[in-house]
């Protein structure tokens, strides 16, 4: 039996307690469980962005490139994130958005061995992931093909000798099921296949160990659990063994070996930085940097403890408090198979999600009947989880969710 006192005891031992205070409290008193959509705002993000606007834009303008570290920022942010995703310091870069980075890195990986034209991905991957693969195959005009697997057990058979790249989401955005990254990388390596992981629903929530598990490539977004703000730049990772093997898919001037030489022909920068394309979003980078400065102080093992602890408490509470009202946990119960969020079903899920909003709990709904509680270990406490489940119980017990005003479900 879990009670509020137990949650408070866990919070007292939380190694990330002080980190929570580095995020701003929203104006409304809500329990925010949607870190899988847009994460919390670092407390100093607004003042930092304002400073860049005033001192960088109003005052310095072009001179800002020299006066501040605008050119280096995409790279410095990568260094700050690297330990959270198990990457070497020089192997991560922030740039563009997730979709663009997926296309760039999928294309880069695919071209490394044209005798293996097939890209294997999941039929139910996040739509942009699948579209990017389809788009690349079309662009390659028949030189590339996409093979989709429906279920994890089909992976082995799908990795035949014609496969060049295995392209998966580490965590499924609906079910929160996580792949065994180490085992998949090992299987792929044994078959001569490169791996590209979309870590959007993992980085900043669960431990990710790209280098330790032998991943070849990875991409992830900045605005979810990494708390970089709406429209934050995304990140990409290239294992050092692949960094200097080919030109990037978009050979842009910011990825040139000598950016301000304005050379007439392209020569790629060494390493992962060649995947920079053009001018970065300086304002968005500043907000992202505010979050990265927090991540620099987070130990991966503390993140791992906290996410696991929050997840286990949440799952136990959902069953204990709400099981009798029709709540069923749909995400994996074995923690090693779970991703960033916990999902549960209820026949009235859409309306329940709306009613929860009115009760000060922000979550998200996915058709047909699943509610997702995103667990951001840097921003929420065990007590928050207790409060959220108590409010859920209230919504279900009183059946207030059946009221007509909750029938219209927002996205
Ligand atoms: C797994 C995954 N990949 C990619 C994206 C979208 O990427 P972006 O809109 O940043 O290009 C999302 C968005 O939620 C996602 O969940």
């Amino acid at each position: 039996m879990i009670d509020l006192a137990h949650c408070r005891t866990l919070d007292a031992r939380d190694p990330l307690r002080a980190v929570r205070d580095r995020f701003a409290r929203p104006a409304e008193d809500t329990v925010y469980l949607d870190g899988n959509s847009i994460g919390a705002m670092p407390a100093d993000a607004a003042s930092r962005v304002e400073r860049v606007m005033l001192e960088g834009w109003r005052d310095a303008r072009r001179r800002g490139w020299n006066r501040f570290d605008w050119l280096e920022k995409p790279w410095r942010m990568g260094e700050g994130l690297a330990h959270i995703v198990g990457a070497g310091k020089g192997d991560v870069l922030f740039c563009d958005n997730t979709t663009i980075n997926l296309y760039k890195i999928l294309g880069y990986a695919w071209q490394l061995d044209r005798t293996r034209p097939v890209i294997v991905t999941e039929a139910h991957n996040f739509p942009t992931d699948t579209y990017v693969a389809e788009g690349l195959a079309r662009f390659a005009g028949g030189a590339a093909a996409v093979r989709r697997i429906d279920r994890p057990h089909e992976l082995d058979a799908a990795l035949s000798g014609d496969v060049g790249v295995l392209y998966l989401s580490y965590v499924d955005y609906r079910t929160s099921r996580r792949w065994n990254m180490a085992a998949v990388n090992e299987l792929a390596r044994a078959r001569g296949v490169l791996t590209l992981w979309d870590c959007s629903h993992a980085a900043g929530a669960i431990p990710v160990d790209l280098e330790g598990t032998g991943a070849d490539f990875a991409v992830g977004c900045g605005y979810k659990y990494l708390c970089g703000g709406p429209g934050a730049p995304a990140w990409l990772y290239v294992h050092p063994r692949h960094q200097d093997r080919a030109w990037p898919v978009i050979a842009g001037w910011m990825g040139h070996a000598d950016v301000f030489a304005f050379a007439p022909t392209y020569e790629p920068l060494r390493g992962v930085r060649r995947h920079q394309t053009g001018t970065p979003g300086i304002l968005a980078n500043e907000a992202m940097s505010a979050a990265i400065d927090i991540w620099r102080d987070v130990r991966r093992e503390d993140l791992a403890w906290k996410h696991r602890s929050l997840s286990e408490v949440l799952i136990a509470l959902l069953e204990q408090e709400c099981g009798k009202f029709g709540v069923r946990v749909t995400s994996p119960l074995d923690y090693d198979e779970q991703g960033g969020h916990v999902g549960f079903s209820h026949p009235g899920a859409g309306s329940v999600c709306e009613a929860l909003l009115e009760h000060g709990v922000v979550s998200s709904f996915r058709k047909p009947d699943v509610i997702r509680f995103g667990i951001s270990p840097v921003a929420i406490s065990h007590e928050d989880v207790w409060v959220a489940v108590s409010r859920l119980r209230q919504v279900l017990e009183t059946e207030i969710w059946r009221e007509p005003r909750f029938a219209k479900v927002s996205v």
Side-chain angles (χ1 to χ4, degrees):
M1 179 88 181
I2 293 179
D3 57 13
L4 178 57
H6 179 66
C7 291
R8 287 183 172 154
T9 307
L10 291 171
D11 284 337
R13 312 195 193 124
D14 174 6
L16 298 180
R17 224 173 33 242
V19 171
R20 281 187 73 214
D21 298 333
R22 293 173 69 180
F23 289 93
R25 291 253 146 232
E28 323 131 31
D29 176 27
T30 52
V31 178
Y32 189 84
L33 296 176
D34 209 5
N36 47 314
S37 297
I38 293 195
M41 184 178 95
D44 61 351
S47 59
R48 286 179 61 156
V49 171
E50 187 183 28
R51 188 166 161 249
V52 172
M53 292 188 76
L54 297 179
E55 292 175 27
W57 184 6
R58 183 192 61 193
D59 301 340
R61 301 200 205 171
R62 179 187 55 75
R63 292 165 298 171
W65 288 101
N66 289 337
R67 209 170 282 174
F68 307 103
D69 56 353
W70 291 348
L71 205 58
E72 293 299 308
K73 199 138 247 184
W75 164 254
R76 296 263 170 259
M77 292 193 295
E79 284 185 336
L81 178 72
H83 67 289
I84 294 292
V85 294
K89 267 203 180 310
D91 304 331
V92 179
L93 177 76
F94 274 85
C95 54
D96 303 312
N97 65 29
T98 323
T99 304
I100 295 172
N101 284 340
L102 287 171
Y103 192 84
K104 281 155 49 184
I105 298 302
L106 183 62
Y108 182 86
W110 170 78
Q111 62 163 347
L112 293 177
D113 184 355
R114 292 191 189 244
T115 67
R116 290 170 162 263
V118 176
I119 295 163
V120 169
T121 191
E122 297 153 283
H124 305 290
N125 209 340
F126 187 79
T128 214
D129 298 65
T130 322
Y131 304 161
V132 157
E134 285 180 312
L136 183 74
R138 273 194 169 232
F139 186 73
V146 181
R147 183 176 300 154
R148 299 159 192 243
I149 55 165
D150 240 330
R151 297 182 180 281
H153 70 261
E154 295 169 13
L155 181 61
D156 196 319
L159 294 184
S160 44
D162 52 357
V163 178
V165 187
L166 173 60
Y167 171 43
L168 301 172
S169 281
Y170 184 24
V171 171
D172 184 288
Y173 75 104
R174 297 152 310 150
T175 63
S176 200
R177 185 184 173 281
R178 114 167 69 147
W179 286 94
N180 180 334
M181 190 185 274
V184 170
N185 285 338
E186 196 181 324
L187 174 69
R189 197 164 44 249
R191 304 278 171 89
V193 175
L194 298 173
T195 49
L196 164 55
W197 295 94
D198 181 339
C199 294
S200 295
H201 286 272
I206 60 168
V208 180
D209 189 7
L210 294 171
E211 196 163 327
T213 61
D216 294 291
F217 303 95
V219 167
C221 70
Y223 48 78
K224 298 185 195 294
Y225 297 106
L226 293 181
C227 304
W235 58 274
L236 58 84
Y237 163 82
V238 179
H239 191 283
R241 64 178 166 258
H242 302 304
Q243 285 177 7
D244 295 317
R245 291 182 64 189
W247 275 27
V249 164
I250 300 178
W253 73 299
M254 289 268 168
H256 190 278
D258 190 354
V259 178
F260 289 109
F262 299 102
T265 54
Y266 185 73
E267 191 192 325
L269 261 164
R270 288 194 66 75
V272 75
R273 298 177 74 170
R274 65 185 53 190
H275 297 285
Q276 287 181 125
T277 53
T279 305
I282 305 295
L283 299 176
N285 277 358
E286 191 60 30
M288 185 80 241
S289 295
I292 291 294
D293 286 344
I294 298 177
W295 289 111
R296 286 181 205 280
D297 300 334
V298 172
R299 296 185 333 148
R300 198 163 55 133
E301 49 275 38
D302 293 341
L303 192 72
W305 176 85
K306 178 93 181 273
H307 188 272
R308 183 178 195 130
S309 178
L310 289 169
S311 300
E312 288 175 353
V313 165
L314 172 56
I315 289 175
L317 280 175
L318 283 171
E319 283 168 357
Q320 176 185 304
E321 300 293 312
C322 303
K324 54 182 163 299
F325 302 113
V327 163
R328 295 284 167 272
V329 174
T330 50
S331 45
L333 295 177
D334 175 354
Y335 184 72
D336 291 335
E337 292 179 8
Q338 190 207 310
H341 63 274
V342 168
F344 57 91
S345 67
H346 184 273
S351 302
V352 171
C353 189
E354 288 300 311
L356 272 177
L357 265 183
E358 201 180 271
H359 287 70
V361 178
V362 185
S363 61
S364 59
F365 165 66
R366 282 291 172 270
K367 286 179 183 166
D369 61 355
V370 170
I371 293 177
R372 302 183 303 177
F373 277 4
I375 301 172
S376 173
V378 288
I380 64 168
S381 66
H382 295 81
E383 183 164 346
D384 288 335
V385 169
W386 169 267
V387 171
V389 177
S390 307
R391 291 179 186 173
L392 173 64
R393 182 193 163 119
Q394 197 187 336
V395 162
L396 297 174
E397 202 167 14
T398 58
E399 300 204 358
I400 195 172
W401 62 272
R402 291 187 191 275
E403 292 186 6
R405 69 181 188 284
F406 299 125
K408 190 167 180 304
V409 179
S410 48
V411 287

